[in-house]
Amino acid sequence: MKHCAFLSMDSLEDFFYYDQMLFEPLKEAGWLAEEVSWRKTDVDWDVYDVVVIRTSWDYQDDVVGFMACLHRIEASSAQLQNSLKIVEWNISKRYLKDLQNQGINIVPTLWFDSFVIAELQLGFSHFDTTEIVLKPLVSANADHTYRLTSENLKEQADQLKAVFAQREFMLQPFVPCIVDEGEYSLFYFAGHYSHSILKLPGAGDFRVQEEHGGQLKSIQPCEEMLTTARHCLAALPADVLYARVDLVRYINEFAVIEIELIEPSLYFNMDAESPQRFVDAFIEMC
């Protein structure tokens, strides 16, 4: 038997996760899998043949420590998936600029290194919108993500300045279709299409994560979605074991809101065949 570690958090008690659906098909393929917290500093990574970054959903709280863990794994005999090169590219949402430069449609974005409220106020006229979304360049679980009008931007200015004092951030127009239609996610394993879902926010919210009350629905993607996702995969700087391409409808076209390559939920619960597809891709790449 070969050994695989799923890089995780100390505790997943407050989260929805489905990676344990992989353990039995992995075992049948000759792999023993276990969850290991990335925060443990005494792990002998040489024990494992492969380490797969999975539910490390608190890495944004200590990016330096998280990257130090990945470098320790990289220096071991274990293979890291997705690769360190991919993580370094994907960990800051500035990667969206790379996609845009390659002709991929993204949600329009302004980038900021420091918090100056007068500059943020210009975002409303720049995007010709009454609502904007403010989010850190390094984030997960919609942490520190704000939906703002001009009025409550002023009201929350002191709080926002404190939150973003040491964080680079981005500004986007709020996309009404996220609430009216939802956000689409397409899943790929070793470059092969697996399944797709529609994520709908809970009542009165705009965040689609289950932890925030979001609802999930299996869907069949249209050709425009599939084409956009293929272009995204072709634009990546290295091959990946898994990828989640998140799309929203913006001005009657699908736009990329994110490509999740570090620790995305892969929603194995939404497609009965997806765990085996992942395992097949894992064996293909590892």
Side-chain angles (χ1 to χ4, degrees), residues 40-59:
K40 294 181 68 175
T41 57
D42 58 349
V43 179
D44 179 5
W45 296 110
D46 289 326
V47 170
Y48 301 100
D49 297 282
V50 179
V51 178
V52 184
I53 308 169
R54 288 305 309 123
T55 52
S56 50
W57 291 332
D58 59 347
Y59 78 89

Side-chain angles (χ1 to χ4, degrees), residues 20 23 32 43 80 82 88 98 116 130 141 151 159-160 177 181 183 193 211 214 217-218 228 230 242 245 254:
Q20 289 182 339
F23 286 10
L32 290 178
V43 179
L80 181 64
N82 285 330
E88 290 172 339
D98 290 347
V116 179
T130 58
N141 307 316
E151 290 72 24
Q159 175 192 349
L160 293 170
C177 277
E181 182 177 350
E183 178 182 306
Y193 172 75
E211 289 78 15
K217 178 183 177 182
S218 294
T228 300
R230 285 195 294 268
Y242 54 82
V245 181
F254 286 108

Side-chain angles (χ1 to χ4, degrees), residues 110 112 118-129 131-132 171-173:
L110 293 174
F112 293 88
E119 294 179 358
L120 299 189
Q121 285 284 359
L122 295 175
F124 295 100
S125 57
H126 178 84
F127 295 128
D128 190 22
T129 186
E131 290 186 285
I132 57 175
L171 199 66
Q172 295 177 325

Side-chain angles (χ1 to χ4, degrees), residues 69-230:
C69 172
L70 298 190
H71 278 279
R72 288 194 296 273
I73 297 169
E74 184 76 5
S76 75
S77 60
Q79 179 186 158
L80 181 64
Q81 292 288 356
N82 285 330
S83 68
L84 183 60
K85 180 177 181 178
I86 282 291
V87 174
E88 290 172 339
W89 181 80
N90 193 233
I91 199 164
S92 168
K93 290 180 173 56
R94 287 192 190 275
Y95 72 82
L96 290 166
K97 279 187 174 182
D98 290 347
L99 299 182
Q100 188 176 40
N101 290 339
Q102 295 185 64
I104 294 170
N105 189 33
I106 69 168
V107 175
T109 304
L110 293 174
W111 313 89
F112 293 88
D113 299 323
S114 59
F115 188 93
V116 179
I117 191 167
E119 294 179 358
L120 299 189
Q121 285 284 359
L122 295 175
F124 295 100
S125 57
H126 178 84
F127 295 128
D128 190 22
T129 186
T130 58
E131 290 186 285
I132 57 175
V133 174
L134 188 63
K135 64 179 76 170
L137 293 191
V138 179
S139 68
N141 307 316
D143 288 357
H144 303 302
T145 297
Y146 297 86
R147 176 182 174 184
L148 300 165
T149 63
S150 179
E151 290 72 24
N152 59 28
L153 173 58
K154 296 174 185 175
E155 293 166 1
Q156 299 181 52
D158 290 342
Q159 175 192 349
L160 293 170
K161 187 173 183 178
V163 169
F164 293 101
Q166 302 298 324
R167 292 185 175 95
E168 295 179 319
F169 60 95
M170 58 198 286
L171 199 66
Q172 295 177 325
F174 174 69
V175 181
C177 277
I178 291 178
V179 172
D180 301 337
E181 182 177 350
E183 178 182 306
Y184 298 90
S185 289
L186 282 66
F187 303 90
Y188 289 81
F189 304 146
H192 308 300
Y193 172 75
S194 175
H195 59 293
S196 299
I197 64 171
L198 174 64
K199 299 176 290 187
L200 295 158
D205 208 327
F206 69 100
R207 297 167 298 181
V208 298
Q209 292 84 357
E210 291 171 284
E211 289 78 15
H212 299 300
Q215 301 295 309
L216 311 176
K217 178 183 177 182
S218 294
I219 59 110
Q220 292 296 321
C222 67
E223 189 55 41
E224 183 185 350
M225 294 181 199
L226 291 168
T227 297
T228 300
R230 285 195 294 268

